[in-house]
Amino acid sequence: MKPLHPKLKEITDRIIERSRPTREVYLNRIRALKQQGKVERDQLGCSNLAHGYASMPKTIKIEMQKSDVPNIGMISAYNDMVSAHQPFKDFPDWIKDEAQKFGATAQVAGGTPAMCDGITQGYEGMELSLFSRDVIAMSTAVGLSHQMFDGALFFGVCDKIVPGLMIGALSCGHIPALFVPAGPMQSGIGNKEKARTRQLFAEGKVGREALLASEMGSYHSPGTCTFYGTANSNQMMMEFMGVHLPAAAFFNPYTPMREALTRHAAAHMAQNLRSGSLKPIGEMLSEKSFINAIIGLMATGGSTNHTMHLVAMARAAGVILNWDDFDEISSIIPLLIRVYPNGQADVNHFAAAGGLPFVIRELRENGLLHDDVDTVVGHGMAAYTQEPFLDNGKLVWKDATEKSLNEDILRTYDNPFSPDGGLKLMKGNIGRGVIKVSAMKPNTFVIEAPAIVFDDQRDVLAAFERGELDGKDFVCVVRYQGARANGMPELHKLTPPLAILQDRGQKVALVTDGRMSGASGKVPAAIHMSPEALMGGGIGKIKTGDLIQFNAHTGELNVLVDAKEFDARVVPMPDLSKNTHGIGRELFAGFRSQTSSAETGAMSFGGDFA
């Protein structure tokens, strides 16, 4: 292996030094909890234990009373509405069965909500989406607060669910943890065909029946959506952080391999709890673990949503990341895969071509990945350069393929799709934001055009329908979409109309303090602008007609207005009354009122959380 890249070492040293005070406080907290007793249950009184054992079969109760028999808690995001989470239904029974074979017991400790952004996209429920992450974190902590468990397994896949589970797990970071995925659905119709039908519908050239048939041909069975959005980026990051079994992410549900991996997770946890060889998750995950997740995000062209979620997860462990870290890491990490929206392939095609073990090997061997990390299968990342196979029903791991089986999807370090990771920091007098450039065409990187300002995504769609956006270059500014204003919804419904205008030859770009879907990227979009408009950010001062300088090559994002005039402008107070009630939004008022900025993770937790 080559030595660690000097720039990566410099960034890592900076993050470690910046995080030193908060990381030390966090480690002291979880070590104090760990030292309170040999196992969690040793701290509980007889009445407390009786409540914890009451629902279990008699034979299991007998085992649970033995101090040398570990008890595994399961936190599940199961529901049968969200396709990615429906396969979790069978996991508890498999895990209980397997745990008993290896001298352990297991209980479902609690459940968390798991909402689908694909269902709520463009509607009121999307305004609950980001803060559902914080609810999931709290739900996870509630489940583990019974202190009945020596270790925990976490079942989750999608956008806010995995970050929420991780934050909750780290709040109980004194016990070992292992994340257990469910896998993507099998491939449906091609992404290019799906996108074409969406665009035809937006232009009024096909009807709703054709659109629904197309969408159902894409989203058609249990499992994660197969494009490389936030959900599949989650699964990638869990591999790079070493909290999955190696290469567990991208096997389909309801296959022998998926059941074998799930059962093996239980066996692995049980055996390692008995031997005491599995570190508590709060100690296992270091600054370098979170940096590896950023590296994975860049090498695979992952979702921009993780510029918030990774920051939030890291802070839960006392590690302080910022967007400069993402930007600098992106500049040295080559883009090794092209999966939709960065290409036409899906994650099943990517896994078949060589998958994450191939990517991890390429980075590790070329000094672009930290190997000095702990994982659920031991020290270092070598195990994650292998993939599992079933040999007469038994799991065995073998080295990743030497060569990519499809270079249109997966490439080596020496022949990347791009020399950098395709995510950039955009900054200027408007504020700081991020942009995903890996899916953009070269002629869309630079635009200097007047702003058209909107306070609601529905107003953008209405202006498009009226033809008011036709025939001119412009920068679409959508403000008051931040976490404090309305929960920071994704604005994915803006992509089809803006893409139509772009395809007609207009130069267009989007600037917003809201989010875009992990599946976005065709239209240049500077998103997560921080501070948001409601917190006095520069985006709130822009007026329709102001000239905007938008340069994704250099990361410059400015309003070309005299500095004194711009500074003197007052951010107008918006009417947010339509965002405060209905579909449960009134219950999230407290979250909105105290959330931090996007760059600090858009977290609603207290100020001393990190």
Side-chain angles (χ1 to χ4, degrees):
M1 292 195 306
K2 293 180 182 178
L4 193 68
H5 191 291
K7 183 66 175 178
L8 181 57
K9 182 180 185 305
E10 175 192 323
I11 297 165
T12 300
D13 290 345
R14 183 181 69 210
I15 292 170
I16 290 172
E17 187 58 34
R18 181 198 305 146
S19 304
R20 194 175 302 280
T22 47
R23 179 65 175 165
E24 185 177 346
V25 168
Y26 173 77
L27 289 175
N28 286 339
R29 284 176 182 165
I30 64 170
R31 284 168 181 163
L33 284 168
K34 183 182 176 183
Q35 291 164 6
Q36 285 178 9
K38 180 185 173 187
V39 296
E40 288 273 84
R41 290 167 302 169
D42 284 351
Q43 304 171 53
L44 302 181
C46 293
S47 177
N48 308 77
L49 287 169
H51 280 85
Y53 298 156
S55 69
M56 307 305 289
K58 185 175 180 179
T59 53
I60 302 300
K61 285 181 185 178
I62 293 170
E63 293 300 304
M64 294 180 83
Q65 294 175 60
K66 298 176 182 177
S67 61
D68 63 340
V69 175
N71 189 35
I72 301 168
M74 294 178 273
I75 302 291
S76 178
Y78 163 75
N79 66 58
D80 64 5
M81 177 196 68
V82 179
S83 63
H85 292 84
Q86 188 268 357
F88 290 131
K89 179 178 180 292
D90 296 331
F91 281 28
D93 289 340
W94 293 344
I95 283 163
K96 289 178 182 180
D97 179 56
E98 207 68 21
Q100 289 176 51
K101 294 176 186 176
F102 290 90
T105 58
Q107 294 176 293
V108 176
T112 76
M115 68 181 295
C116 177
D117 291 356
I119 297 172
T120 58
Q121 194 70 243
Y123 295 95
E124 291 81 358
M126 178 54 83
E127 295 178 19
L128 277 59
S129 175
L130 176 60
F131 290 132
S132 76
R133 179 196 67 192
D134 297 14
V135 173
I136 291 160
M138 292 187 286
S139 301
T140 299
V142 168
L144 297 178
S145 69
H146 298 96
Q147 295 181 266
M148 287 283 295
F149 310 109
D150 306 291
L153 301 176
F154 298 88
F155 311 154
V157 173
C158 288
D159 297 23
K160 264 61 64 184
I161 293 87
V162 168
L165 289 171
M166 178 60 76
I167 293 168
L170 289 166
S171 76
C172 298
H174 60 293
I175 63 173
L178 198 157
F179 281 61
V180 186
M185 66 179 68
Q186 295 180 0
S187 301
I189 66 167
N191 290 300
K192 187 175 183 179
E193 175 63 22
K194 177 182 68 177
R196 187 183 74 85
T197 304
R198 285 181 177 180
Q199 188 153 323
L200 289 171
F201 178 77
E203 294 177 284
K205 293 179 179 178
V206 300
R208 184 167 296 278
E209 287 186 4
L211 178 64
L212 182 59
S214 172
E215 296 294 323
M216 291 186 72
S218 179
Y219 311 116
H220 59 88
S221 66
T224 321
C225 304
T226 58
F227 61 82
Y228 196 54
T230 310
N232 286 317
S233 298
N234 275 336
Q235 303 309 299
M236 172 278 301
M237 290 194 307
M238 295 304 100
E239 305 258 341
F240 270 78
M241 291 170 71
V243 297
H244 276 178
L245 294 177
F250 297 135
F251 288 94
N252 304 124
Y254 297 106
T255 59
M257 177 61 81
R258 178 52 62 200
E259 181 173 351
L261 285 166
T262 303
R263 286 181 174 273
H264 190 73
H268 183 77
M269 175 65 78
Q271 290 173 301
N272 281 273
L273 288 176
R274 290 185 68 88
S275 67
S277 56
L278 193 58
K279 281 190 174 183
I281 188 171
E283 293 184 20
M284 188 187 87
L285 294 180
S286 68
E287 295 91 340
K288 293 177 182 178
S289 305
F290 290 100
I291 293 166
N292 278 355
I294 300 177
I295 291 167
L297 194 69
M298 303 311 164
T300 61
S303 170
T304 52
N305 275 321
H306 291 307
T307 60
M308 289 186 300
H309 295 325
L310 252 178
V311 169
M313 288 188 282
R315 283 183 172 242
V319 177
I320 309 301
L321 304 176
N322 63 40
W323 287 348
D324 292 302
D325 303 327
F326 284 77
D327 189 55
E328 290 183 42
I329 290 173
S330 180
S331 71
I332 61 171
I333 301 298
L335 182 67
L336 301 184
I337 83 168
R338 280 208 179 278
V339 177
Y340 188 82
N342 300 333
Q344 293 307 316
D346 67 22
V347 294
N348 292 313
H349 304 138
F350 162 61
L356 288 173
F358 185 100
V359 174
I360 291 171
R361 184 196 65 213
E362 290 296 304
L363 295 168
R364 180 174 176 267
E365 290 186 352
N366 289 284
L368 289 173
L369 192 71
H370 286 293
D371 201 48
D372 183 21
V373 292
D374 290 311
T375 76
V376 295
V377 292
H379 191 73
M381 293 297 293
Y384 289 83
T385 67
Q386 298 184 318
E387 58 183 323
F389 294 86
L390 285 173
D391 184 0
N392 293 320
K394 183 179 179 181
L395 275 173
V396 294
W397 271 263
K398 300 178 183 178
D399 289 344
T401 177
E402 285 294 319
K403 295 182 179 180
S404 167
L405 300 186
N406 188 329
E407 291 201 346
D408 291 333
I409 301 171
L410 176 65
R411 293 188 182 177
T412 61
Y413 164 84
D414 295 323
N415 182 35
F417 291 102
S418 168
D420 58 57
L423 189 142
K424 291 187 70 71
L425 175 65
M426 298 287 283
K427 58 185 178 179
N429 59 6
I430 296 175
R432 287 163 64 88
V434 295
I435 186 170
K436 184 177 181 177
V437 298
S438 54
M440 289 166 49
K441 293 181 179 178
N443 64 345
T444 65
F445 276 63
V446 179
I447 175 173
E448 194 169 293
I452 304 178
V453 179
F454 300 91
D455 292 348
D456 191 307
Q457 63 174 319
R458 287 166 289 196
D459 294 338
V460 182
L461 299 174
F464 173 78
E465 292 293 335
R466 293 192 297 266
E468 295 171 5
L469 306 180
D470 294 348
K472 55 192 173 189
D473 297 345
F474 67 96
V475 175
C476 180
V477 177
V478 188
R479 60 190 183 181
Y480 302 115
Q481 304 301 305
R484 288 238 175 156
N486 64 352
M488 205 175 184
E490 287 184 349
L491 307 176
H492 188 43
K493 281 206 167 184
L494 298 182
T495 299
L498 294 177
I500 288 168
L501 299 175
Q502 183 174 272
D503 289 347
R504 291 174 182 170
Q506 294 173 231
K507 274 189 167 289
V508 297
L510 176 68
V511 176
T512 181
D513 50 9
R515 297 184 294 129
M516 290 295 284
S517 166
S520 301
K522 179 178 179 179
V523 175
I527 59 177
H528 307 175
M529 292 307 303
S530 185
E532 64 176 276
L534 202 65
M535 296 174 76
I539 188 173
K541 296 182 178 182
I542 302 172
K543 297 179 179 178
T544 294
D546 287 345
L547 200 61
I548 304 289
Q549 175 195 47
F550 187 109
N551 190 324
H553 289 302
T554 63
E556 293 174 281
L557 183 61
N558 291 291
V559 184
L560 301 181
V561 174
D562 178 76
K564 286 186 178 179
E565 178 193 338
F566 193 67
D567 289 344
R569 288 184 183 178
V570 176
V571 177
M573 286 305 297
D575 177 9
L576 297 175
S577 58
K578 62 182 178 298
N579 303 115
T580 58
H581 289 77
I583 319 296
R585 285 176 289 178
E586 59 271 27
L587 304 178
F588 285 73
F591 290 74
R592 293 191 296 270
S593 68
Q594 62 185 22
T595 184
S596 65
S597 67
E599 187 165 5
T600 55
M603 301 172 73
S604 65
F605 303 114
D608 65 346
F609 183 73

